């Protein structure tokens, strides 16, 4: 993905050929007093590294055929989606480990600046170059003294590690790997019923506006208590400012490596529990044991990691996120809308080579050449250039799981979102999972197959990949003759 692509193309003088037979011209100058328009800001954004562009289009989502294994029918509907960038393969152990190490290093830097660990103020910037106070932030240009640290620095570094009581192994303290981030709910803030000005909440001029109306709003917040436990709360309070649309999350982001044991009782999977995430032999394997909340935290970190240093241009960068259920199926089916990501019939070639990593036979996981997961990208990509859209690991989407599926959504960029509160019934915390995995039969790896998982559960067969919306997807259309 090394070629550059302009995401925003709103420069003056841009010509757009339309089916109406005319052209549209945007400029900032006036001609004889006529309005000609003002060009928008332009950012030459490179094609996101490791991603491929899935062009906008439509498909009949779901399937008419009832599943032969479970007798389930997937909800079906004609839908359209806009263009987006998608990771060409699932997020790997190596990629996710970078996230974990970033959190580890941020904790160490914070402690190196703490007086309890020597108080080296150079690890935290609290003043600008003129000596005026600013919002404190870590100095990532200051290297951690991994080699030859002094006594206080050594204590700060060692504080994020623990020693196994039985074998003396030095391990990263997973309980400390907490990532805090904030999001602004643009959709809620845009709804008329939540406008700060009461007069704007109802456009019906026959309705008398109550200037003293109190509107209640719910938002997510989180903090770490005195015992070091993450406390997540959904609070409801009167709407008072734009800050009421800011949600705060603190997520422990270390993968659940015990999923290999908990998902498969009476199986000798200890080696995967101890080595799969940390051993270099599994670097290019898809990360597993990451729940939906952790996957969202990764998307936020990946965005912040990208925009650091961009300055004012950062506002034009589209954020990384999980794909919607509709985006995922549209991307998986390829340009021809196939039932499976490949164009051929069946799940293997004439020479007997399988097109994906799944369980082709009862109890025989290895007939396709793999026992568990496989390295990403070793099977052929679909026509969109995406690897492993069937099998290997199933993948999280951003969409809430309901039996009605797409039937309860819009037919344009369909999705269904609900940020479940801690006190909500567990049934409301199910998210849609797509693609099937290394442990699933053929029916489960079809592009239309839907399954679900609870948002706080990590599985040994569920991973994820990220998407980013593309801005300015207008394309030249040939004139009709």
């Amino acid at each position: 993905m090394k070629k550059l692509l302009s995401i925003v193309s709103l420069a003056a003088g841009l010509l757009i050929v339309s089916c109406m037979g005319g052209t549209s011209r945007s400029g900032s100058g006036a001609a004889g007093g006529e309005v000609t328009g003002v060009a928008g800001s332009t950012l030459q954004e490179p094609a996101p590294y490791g991603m491929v562009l899935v062009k906008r289009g439509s498909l009949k989502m779901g399937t008419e055929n009832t599943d032969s294994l479970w007798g389930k029918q997937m909800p079906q509907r004609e839908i359209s989606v806009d263009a987006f960038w998608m990771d060409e393969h699932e997020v790997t152990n190596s990629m996710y480990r970078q996230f974990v190490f970033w959190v580890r290093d941020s904790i160490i830097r914070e402690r190196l600046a703490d007086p309890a660990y020597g108080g080296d103020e150079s690890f935290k910037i609290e003043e600008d170059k003129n000596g005026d106070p600013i919002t404190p932030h870590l100095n990532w240009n200051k290297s951690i003294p991994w080699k030859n640290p002094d006594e206080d620095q050594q204590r700060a570094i060692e504080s994020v590690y623990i020693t196994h009581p039985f074998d003396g192994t030095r391990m990263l303290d997973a309980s400390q790997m907490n990532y805090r981030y904030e999001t602004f709910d643009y959709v809620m803030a845009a709804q008329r019923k939540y406008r700060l000005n009461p007069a704007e909440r109802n456009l019906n001029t026959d309705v008398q506006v109550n200037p003293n109306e109190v509107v209640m709003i719910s938002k997510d917040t989180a903090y770490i208590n005195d015992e070091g436990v993450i406390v997540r709360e959904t609070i409801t309070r009167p709407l008072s400012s734009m800050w009421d649309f800011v949600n705060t999350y603190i997520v422990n982001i270390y993968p659940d490596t015990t999923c290999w044991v908990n998902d498969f009782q009476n199986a000798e999977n200890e080696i995967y529990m101890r080595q799969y995430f940390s051993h270099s032999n599994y670097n290019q394997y898809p990360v597993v044991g990451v729940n939906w909340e952790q996957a969202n935290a990764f998307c936020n970190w990946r965005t912040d990691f990208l925009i650091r240093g961009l300055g004012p241009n950062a506002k034009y960068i589209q954020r990384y996120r999980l794909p919607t259920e509709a985006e995922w199926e549209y991307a998986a089916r390829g340009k021809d809308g196939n039932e499976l990501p490949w164009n051929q019939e069946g799940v293997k070639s004439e020479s007997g080579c399988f097109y994906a990593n799944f369980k082709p036979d009862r109890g025989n996981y290895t007939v396709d050449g793999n026992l568990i997961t496989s390295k990403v990208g070793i099977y052929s990509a679909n026509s969109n250039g995406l690897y492993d859209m069937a099998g290997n690991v199933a993948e999280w989407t951003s969409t809430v799981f309901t039996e009605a599926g797409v039937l309860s959504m819009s037919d344009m960029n369909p999705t269904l979102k609900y940020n479940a509160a801690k006190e909500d019934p567990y049934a409301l915390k199910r998210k849609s999972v797509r693609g099937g995995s290394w442990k699933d039969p053929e029916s489960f790896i079809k592009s239309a197959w839907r399954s679900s998982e609870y948002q706080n559960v990590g599985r040994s067969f569920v991973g994820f990949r990220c998407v980013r919306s593309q801005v300015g997807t207008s394309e030249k259309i040939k004139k009709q003759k």
Side-chain angles (χ1 to χ4, degrees), residues 426-444:
Y426 202 42
L428 296 180
K429 300 176 182 180
R430 290 198 301 170
K431 306 299 181 184
S432 178
V433 174
R434 287 302 197 107
S437 74
W438 57 271
K439 73 167 190 62
D440 292 321
E442 178 182 342
S443 295
F444 286 21

Side-chain angles (χ1 to χ4, degrees), residues 192-267:
R192 290 194 180 94
K193 62 181 178 179
Y194 294 124
R195 297 290 171 86
L196 296 175
N197 182 359
E200 298 177 355
R201 293 174 188 159
N202 194 325
L203 300 182
N204 186 344
T205 56
D206 294 335
V207 176
Q208 185 68 33
V209 175
N210 178 7
N212 298 317
E213 178 187 10
V214 176
V215 174
M216 304 300 291
I217 191 169
S218 295
K219 59 177 293 182
D220 293 333
T221 186
Y223 63 93
I224 297 178
N225 63 19
D226 294 338
E227 288 73 40
V229 177
I230 298 174
V231 178
R232 177 188 169 188
E233 294 180 341
T234 300
I235 60 176
T236 301
R237 66 186 189 188
L239 176 64
S240 61
S241 73
M242 293 293 281
W243 289 101
D244 290 321
F245 300 107
V246 176
N247 297 292
T248 302
Y249 301 97
I250 300 177
V251 180
N252 183 276
I253 52 91
Y254 201 86
D256 180 12
T257 57
T258 68
C259 62
W260 291 102
V261 173
N262 289 300
D263 288 346
F264 299 94
Q265 300 293 324
N266 304 317

Side-chain angles (χ1 to χ4, degrees), residues 8 13 161 164 249 265 284 328 330 387 403 414 465:
V8 182
Y161 290 91
H164 195 282
Y249 301 97
Q265 300 293 324
Q284 298 308 310
W328 196 97
Y330 174 67
Y387 297 90
E403 294 297 335
R465 71 180 80 203

Side-chain angles (χ1 to χ4, degrees), residues 264-298:
F264 299 94
Q265 300 293 324
N266 304 317
E268 186 54 64
N269 288 341
E270 179 184 337
I271 185 173
Y272 308 133
M273 178 182 69
R274 298 181 63 184
Q275 303 290 341
Y276 182 84
F277 179 62
S278 58
H279 200 288
S280 60
N281 283 0
Y282 293 106
N283 277 350
Q284 298 308 310
Y285 284 64
V287 68
V288 298
V290 172
N291 64 39
W292 183 85
E293 296 169 2
Q294 293 171 324
N296 277 286
F298 177 90

Side-chain angles (χ1 to χ4, degrees), residues 4-53:
L4 298 180
L5 183 71
S6 172
I7 288 186
V8 182
S9 298
L10 300 177
L14 176 65
L15 297 179
I16 303 175
V17 181
S18 72
C19 290
M20 304 298 292
T23 61
S24 173
R25 185 180 300 273
S26 175
S28 58
E34 298 291 345
V35 175
T36 60
V38 176
S41 301
T42 302
L43 171 66
Q44 299 297 325
E45 184 181 9
Y49 178 80
M51 289 185 140
V52 297
L53 179 63

Side-chain angles (χ1 to χ4, degrees), residues 389-400:
M389 294 300 284
N392 211 8
V393 290
E395 299 176 16
W396 289 111
T397 73
S398 62
T399 306
V400 171

Side-chain angles (χ1 to χ4, degrees), residues 1-3 46-53 85-91 95 302 320 384-387 465-468:
M1 302 298 101
K2 294 184 178 179
K3 60 183 180 179
Y49 178 80
M51 289 185 140
V52 297
L53 179 63
W85 296 92
M86 189 176 219
D87 282 334
E88 60 183 357
H89 58 67
E90 296 131 343
V91 172
M95 295 169 66
R302 189 175 177 184
Y320 289 100
N384 282 325
L386 300 166
Y387 297 90
R465 71 180 80 203
C466 304
V467 298
R468 277 170 61 183

Side-chain angles (χ1 to χ4, degrees), residues 125-195:
I125 300 173
E126 298 182 349
E127 298 177 347
D128 61 18
K129 61 182 180 180
N130 298 320
D132 297 323
I134 58 175
T135 303
H137 60 276
L138 297 177
N139 181 9
W140 286 91
N141 293 322
K142 176 77 172 179
S143 298
I144 295 174
W146 297 106
K147 296 181 179 180
N148 303 318
D150 62 30
E151 184 177 344
D152 288 328
Q153 293 171 338
Q154 184 66 31
R155 287 193 303 112
I157 293 173
E158 292 299 326
S159 68
V160 298
Y161 290 91
I162 57 176
T163 302
H164 195 282
F166 178 71
D167 59 19
T169 303
R170 180 176 179 265
M171 305 179 300
L172 193 63
D173 185 358
S175 67
Q176 295 189 54
M177 300 299 106
N178 300 322
Y179 176 70
R180 181 185 184 278
Y181 69 102
E182 294 179 332
T183 62
F184 186 87
D185 195 333
Y186 289 94
V187 174
M188 180 176 286
Q191 296 183 48
R192 290 194 180 94
K193 62 181 178 179
Y194 294 124
R195 297 290 171 86

